[in-house]
Structure formats: structure tokens, C-alpha cells
Amino acid sequence: MAKQSIKFENQQHFTSKCIHAGVQADPTTGALLPPIYQTTTYLQEAVGKDKGYTYSRSSNPTVSALENKLAALEETPSATCFTTGIAAISAFAFSLLKAGDHIICSDVIYGGTVRFCKEILQKFEVSASFVDTSNPKEVEAAIQENTKVILIETPANPTLKLTDISEVAKLSKKYNLTLAVDNTFLTAALLKPIDFGADVVIYSTTKYIDGHNATVGGALLAKDESLNEKFRFTRNCLGSIQTPFEAWLTLQGIKTLPLRLKQHSENALAVARYLQTHELVKKVYYPGLENFPQHELAQRQHQGAHGGIIAFELKGDIQTGIDFINSVKLCALAENLGAIETLITHPASMTHGPIPKEQREQIGIGDGLVRLSVGLEDPFDIIQDLDQAFDLVAKKHKELSE
């Protein structure tokens, strides 16, 4: 008896979608993986008659496959993929904002987003307010007559402060605003913002979506197809479409997304618990810890786990932090996160360098804050590396004090 094939486009299980959604065997050769359509243009049958593609700045079959998969994971009508995460944020802003408009952003948010709002949008007379979106009252107080958009990041980069999406969504609906959530840290494997009332999901696919430090990319996904159409129009005007090869690599990364996020989360929790016990650590930020201030919200909003990012404050001055980061061996000092390798970052001088020092300190990004993107190595090896770095720092500072 022949086995009945499963229609994976209707498959409801997230893990299966990660593998099968949006792609099919090549009808010409039977190749299991989709081809890389490395082409500029496409032969048209006649004037005004084509096979859905005309020029790769507008659309490309490999990029479309990635977009179909992401849309299946987020359960949106479609997705729009970009060259980078900040290109996605730029297209989002240019699609929905005009001169005289106002945008509300989380106070703790990626430094590149802050720079874009302050240095680029401001030139086009679009103003931005950075508020504590974990407090709905502060969000409502910041809403002006010209406010059009609320952009939140949860968990926030790098302090992991959470925003209750449902509460902010109530405000966005009350005032007829568009609510966008940057879901880069958790992905649809651990959080689906649209289920909590968000209108748009934003990604740097560079991070966990790819997961292998192999590509840069971004994506926008809206529950309203008219918004997706605006994003595609803006992307075409800006020329910021994702490249075919990087889209193809990202498709391969997504296949293991649920497994990776599960292990990232388990490893991060183990490392966070270790850090809590170390005498050189002042404070640890991780939503999976029972003493995390918003642990209850994390339990309610996240889907069973809390991701692979940890932030922690070191005791001592900025030199202590520099000495510590320069002493790690297994952990790589790098400006990225979400990869299978453990990456360590000093936000004040790296990812959030564009934010003025006074503003950084007000939102908890001090000189002693370290961000750790916990990878898929054995957690014992990660802890051992951190431990030897702490020992070296303690030894150096002891010698200096003698």
C-alpha cells in the first residue's frame, strides 16, 4: 500500500513547518532543496505577460521561498525580506510615516534603531519618543495627536526588559496606531506577537532565524496584507531586497530553529544560574530566572522557554569589564547574537555605542554591562570559560591592589 503524502502547507506543527513550509521539490530535476535563482532578469512571454517575476530587485523565487516559510511560521498572509534588519526597520518607517508624524519606541532598543530614528527620520521631520514600554501608562502619556506607530522590542536589547504586548496592543487599537514588535530575540518559536495583538513583526534574520553567523538579513510580516503590499512597494523603491544566496542559506538555518532555540534556552538558563552565584557579578538579567522582575510575564508571554541571551553587570569599573571580556577564550567577542557559537559583547562600546552615555545609563546600559549570546556548546564548557576569565580578572586586580 502506497504511503499517503502529507500536505505540509496545511501542517499545524511548528517544527514541521520549519522544515517543509514554503518550499517544494524542484519540478524539473526533483532536487529536494530549492534552487538559488542567481539572476537579474527573467524572460517574459509577451508584453505584460510573465511568470510572476520580471526583475530581481522586485522579487526573486529563492527570496519568495524564504518569505513563504516565514509567513507560514508567523501565520501572516505574506512576508517581505530585506538585505539587513535595519533595512527592514527603514522600510517599515518609510512605508508608514511622513513628515510631521511621530513614533514611539521602547527606551531599551537596538542602538542602530535609535541612530536611525535620531539621525535619519529626524531629517524628514519625523519625531521619535523613547519611553518605558513596560509601563503602559508611560506609553499612553507619550501618545500625541501626530503619533502613528509604536515600535517595541521584547525582550529588549540588551537588558532583556519585557513589554506586555497585549497591554500596548490595547492602546494601539484605542488610538488607531500601528503596533510593531521586533521579535529578533525569540522568533516565532518562542513568541508570536500577532497572537497578542501586534500588527507587524520585525526581524533581523541575521540572528536566530539564520543561526549560523552566515548571512545578514531582515524581514517584515503584517497580519494585514495591505501593509505587506506597502512594504514590498517601499522595498522595490529602495532596492533593499534580500539576495538569493543569503535567502537560500537562511532557509537551511530555519529547519533547525525550534531545536536550536530549545537548546539555546536550556544552556542560557544554566549559565545564568552560574553567574548568579559568582562574587564578581552584581546582577544577572534573564527572563527564565525566578527572581527576574518580570518572570511572571515571561511565563505568560513566552512559549515554554526564554531564549539564549543573558545580560549581567560586573562589579568594579569599566576596566574590570574590559579585562573580563578580553580574557574569554571559548566565547567570541563579536557584534552579533543568536548563532550556534557563544558570543560576548560590551553594549556600551559596541552595539549601543550610538546612544549617548547619559541616555544609556538611564536605561540600565552601564559600562559594566555584558551581553552574552549563549551558543550550543556544552554549557559546562561555556561556564568553564567564564570561570577562568573571572579568575584572571580577580588575580590582576589583586596584584594591582597589593
Side-chain angles (χ1 to χ4, degrees), residues 184-185 187 207-211 257 260-261 264 308-309 337-338:
T184 296
F185 272 25
T187 80
K207 312 304 193 290
Y208 286 106
I209 298 290
D210 169 312
L257 178 64
R260 286 188 286 108
L261 261 296
H264 279 299
I309 307 299
L337 59 92

Side-chain angles (χ1 to χ4, degrees), residues 197-219:
D199 300 297
V200 178
V201 180
I202 300 176
Y203 279 116
S204 169
T205 59
T206 308
K207 312 304 193 290
Y208 286 106
I209 298 290
D210 169 312
H212 294 79
N213 274 328
T215 71
V216 290

Side-chain angles (χ1 to χ4, degrees), residues 39-44 53-56:
T39 183
T40 303
T41 192
Y42 306 80
L43 180 66
Q44 300 183 41
Y53 300 93
T54 58
Y55 193 62
S56 279

Side-chain angles (χ1 to χ4, degrees), residues 37-316:
Y37 289 93
Q38 192 62 52
T39 183
T40 303
T41 192
Y42 306 80
L43 180 66
Q44 300 183 41
E45 298 175 21
V47 175
K49 187 178 181 181
D50 56 63
K51 295 181 178 179
Y53 300 93
T54 58
Y55 193 62
S56 279
R57 188 195 68 219
S58 302
S59 59
N60 174 280
T62 314
V63 178
S64 294
L66 173 59
E67 291 171 339
N68 292 338
K69 187 179 288 288
L70 289 173
L73 300 185
E74 294 288 346
E75 299 179 11
T76 57
S78 61
T80 310
C81 288
F82 297 84
T83 49
T84 64
I86 201 65
I89 288 173
S90 301
F92 169 76
F94 291 140
S95 296
L96 300 181
L97 299 170
K98 65 181 185 306
D101 286 344
H102 173 249
I103 179 174
I104 295 173
C105 298
S106 296
D107 57 350
V108 184
I109 199 166
Y110 169 54
T113 302
V114 176
R115 178 173 53 202
F116 172 73
C117 290
K118 289 190 171 183
E119 302 295 331
I120 303 299
L121 288 185
Q122 200 170 60
K123 292 180 181 179
F124 295 92
E125 299 180 3
V126 174
S127 58
S129 297
F130 298 89
V131 305
D132 182 2
T133 54
S134 70
N135 185 343
K137 291 181 179 179
E138 289 197 24
V139 176
E140 186 164 25
I143 296 173
Q144 304 171 11
E145 287 186 5
N146 60 339
T147 303
K148 302 297 181 184
V149 169
I150 301 174
L151 170 59
I152 64 177
E153 197 176 80
T154 183
N157 183 5
T159 65
L160 302 172
K161 181 167 63 173
L162 305 183
T163 294
D164 189 326
I165 300 171
S166 297
E167 289 301 311
V168 179
K170 291 176 184 176
L171 293 174
S172 69
K173 289 174 175 56
K174 178 180 177 180
Y175 292 95
N176 195 28
L177 308 177
T178 299
L179 173 60
V181 177
D182 187 326
N183 194 30
T184 296
F185 272 25
L186 296 180
T187 80
L190 299 181
L191 171 65
K192 289 189 176 180
I194 287 176
D195 288 350
F196 292 91
D199 300 297
V200 178
V201 180
I202 300 176
Y203 279 116
S204 169
T205 59
T206 308
K207 312 304 193 290
Y208 286 106
I209 298 290
D210 169 312
H212 294 79
N213 274 328
T215 71
V216 290
L220 295 174
L221 304 97
K223 63 182 181 182
D224 184 341
E225 183 60 13
S226 66
L227 284 179
N228 293 318
E229 290 172 0
K230 287 183 179 180
F231 299 151
R232 287 191 288 271
F233 176 80
T234 302
R235 182 185 67 180
N236 189 45
C237 293
L238 296 176
S240 55
I241 190 172
Q242 174 64 286
T243 64
F245 182 50
E246 298 208 332
W248 187 87
L249 287 173
T250 305
L251 278 166
Q252 310 322 310
I254 292 175
K255 292 177 181 179
T256 59
L257 178 64
L259 299 175
R260 286 188 286 108
L261 261 296
K262 179 178 183 293
Q263 194 61 53
H264 279 299
S265 299
E266 290 180 6
N267 286 3
L269 183 58
V271 174
R273 285 177 172 159
Y274 154 76
L275 288 168
Q276 278 191 313
T277 67
H278 204 283
E279 60 184 9
L280 290 182
V281 176
K282 185 189 302 182
K283 193 170 185 180
V284 181
Y285 304 88
Y286 184 67
L289 292 173
E290 291 78 5
N291 64 352
F292 184 75
Q294 297 170 293
H295 182 67
E296 186 277 329
L297 174 60
Q299 294 289 86
R300 177 162 40 89
Q301 192 161 268
H302 303 168
Q303 296 178 151
H306 307 285
I309 307 299
I310 300 170
F312 58 97
E313 292 181 45
L314 293 168
K315 295 178 182 177

